[in-house]
Amino acid sequence: FFSEKKNKNIPSLFYDQYEDIIKNNQIKPWLSSLKHDLRGFKKNKIDFKNKKILILSGGPGILAKYLSKYSNVTITEFSEKSVNAMKDVLKLNAIKVDFNSKDDCNKLQGKFDIIISKNNINYCEDQKNFLYQINDMLNKNGTLILSCDKPSFGYMLTWMFHDYMPNTFLTLENILLILATKDRYEICGIERIKYNSIKYRVTRRFKSLIRFIVFFPITFFYILKIFSPFTMIIRKSWSLDEL
């Protein structure tokens, strides 16, 4: 995430796209993700009805819109445009939050029964503090749904074609150890989602394909390096998202 304090004039390029998705009702690609989330709730026996729910960086808000039929839902996003679209079109309680701004998380008032933080901890400058803030916002006997990506060759290459990229990676064990210093947590389920990140990004949008072609010389250089017997790196073309 860009930090508001350090980069006030830099637009949230990647996250602004959610505004177009919402206003043009281009939600079809997100429906499979919604179905997957709902299966996860059912599998792990997580009751999402009549709860107070916080979804961190949850654009374009498809999951939040569904859960809002049953519960009091708050959703955050980094882009002001996307937040306004979620408010105006989806009628959601959306709040602009930059995880790397110490003051922004103060916008989130009270405690929540369920906190959903998927695929965003990798972009936090202070991941330990981020987890502490989540802990402070979670009710006793509340449920935290959190995922993080593991670094791999394919994962790094795919993100270099975008407007930002992750810089710090925690293992699931690291996260649990940090949370354990604040409170007692009980694991209700672990899911590992394996996907080919290069194929996913390149085939998703024409713009991504053009970027892939333009940056192919750099990609090819890294492919040569990855096969060096002296390179200490995870030599995988896929990414592993741990939930």
Side-chain angles (χ1 to χ4, degrees):
F1 288 82
F2 294 120
S3 172
E4 267 191 323
K5 291 184 177 179
K6 297 178 183 177
N7 303 289
K8 287 185 178 180
N9 297 320
I10 298 178
S12 50
L13 300 176
F14 181 82
Y15 301 96
D16 287 347
Q17 68 172 327
Y18 295 141
E19 178 189 29
D20 293 331
I21 292 171
I22 295 167
K23 289 186 175 180
N24 298 320
N25 197 30
Q26 299 171 339
I27 65 170
K28 189 175 180 180
W30 299 89
L31 294 180
S32 59
S33 177
L34 172 61
K35 291 177 182 177
H36 179 271
D37 289 331
L38 296 179
R39 285 197 299 268
F41 284 125
K42 184 177 181 180
K43 178 182 176 181
N44 295 298
K45 299 179 180 179
I46 299 172
D47 181 12
F48 56 81
K49 296 182 179 180
N50 301 313
K51 305 288 185 180
K52 189 177 179 184
I53 301 174
L54 171 64
I55 304 178
L56 297 170
S57 193
I62 308 305
L63 175 62
K65 182 62 177 178
Y66 181 87
L67 296 180
S68 66
K69 295 188 294 184
Y70 306 97
S71 292
N72 178 2
V73 179
T74 299
I75 183 171
T76 77
E77 194 45 80
F78 180 66
S79 162
E80 188 75 49
K81 292 181 179 179
S82 296
V83 165
N84 290 335
M86 287 191 284
K87 285 181 179 179
D88 298 338
V89 180
L90 300 182
K91 308 302 180 184
L92 292 172
N93 178 26
I95 303 173
K96 182 184 182 301
V97 171
D98 173 9
F99 298 146
N100 291 321
S101 171
K102 293 181 180 179
D103 298 327
D104 262 23
C105 285
N106 293 331
K107 299 175 183 177
L108 303 171
Q109 301 295 323
K111 290 183 176 288
F112 299 87
D113 302 306
I114 299 175
I115 296 180
I116 302 173
S117 172
K118 296 181 64 177
N119 305 109
N120 48 44
I121 190 173
N122 296 103
Y123 308 99
C124 296
E125 294 173 358
D126 189 344
Q127 295 175 330
K128 185 176 181 180
N129 183 62
F130 175 71
L131 289 170
Y132 282 170
Q133 287 179 314
I134 286 178
N135 179 81
D136 292 342
M137 291 187 292
L138 188 64
N139 275 326
K140 289 289 184 182
N141 300 317
T143 300
L144 170 62
I145 301 171
L146 185 145
S147 71
C148 63
D149 283 291
K150 283 191 173 181
S152 69
F153 172 58
Y155 185 82
M156 295 304 182
L157 284 183
T158 186
W159 280 109
M160 79 180 197
F161 303 129
H162 287 261
D163 303 303
Y164 62 93
M165 69 181 297
N167 49 39
T168 308
F169 293 85
L170 292 176
T171 66
L172 189 59
E173 291 76 15
N174 293 146
I175 292 172
L176 290 171
L177 285 171
I178 292 172
L179 289 172
T181 63
K182 295 289 286 185
D183 220 322
R184 185 170 179 266
Y185 282 79
E186 183 176 307
I187 299 175
C188 63
I190 296 176
E191 185 175 357
R192 290 179 170 88
I193 305 168
K194 184 178 177 180
Y195 65 98
N196 190 315
S197 51
I198 295 179
K199 179 181 178 182
Y200 174 76
R201 296 295 175 189
V202 171
T203 58
R204 194 174 185 192
R205 290 188 302 166
F206 181 72
K207 184 179 178 182
S208 295
L209 177 60
I210 296 299
R211 284 185 175 185
F212 183 82
I213 294 172
V214 171
F215 285 99
F216 183 76
I218 301 173
T219 306
F220 185 70
F221 170 76
Y222 280 111
I223 290 174
L224 293 178
K225 279 189 68 70
I226 204 69
F227 288 108
S228 168
F230 306 106
T231 303
M232 298 298 294
I233 192 168
I234 301 175
R235 305 165 188 262
K236 302 293 183 182
S237 62
W238 45 259
S239 294
L240 182 64
D241 181 25
E242 289 191 328
L243 182 66

